[in-house]
Amino acid sequence: MRRSGHQEQTVTWVEDKKSGELRRPHHIDLKTGLYKGRQVLTVKSEV
């Protein structure tokens, strides 16, 4: 039981409703800057 917490955990991914891309739940989408439908980050334009 001592090393029961050392196992690898699987990473969960959810499909974004608008873009259809996979992202982590409860994380900010770095491409759009949205979190829970709100604009949290400003996205820099690629030059």
Side-chain angles (χ1 to χ4, degrees):
M1 294 303 295
R2 199 175 80 120
R3 292 192 176 99
S4 64
H6 290 188
Q7 63 198 15
E8 289 188 25
Q9 297 177 354
T10 58
V11 178
T12 9
W13 296 92
V14 294
E15 186 176 344
D16 190 24
K17 293 178 183 177
K18 292 186 178 182
S19 66
E21 293 188 22
L22 294 177
R23 63 172 182 82
R24 298 281 311 272
H26 304 287
H27 284 73
I28 298 173
D29 186 13
L30 295 176
K31 291 184 179 180
T32 60
L34 293 176
Y35 180 73
K36 289 188 177 181
R38 292 183 295 153
Q39 189 71 32
V40 180
L41 296 175
T42 56
V43 182
K44 295 181 180 178
S45 61
E46 295 181 21
V47 179

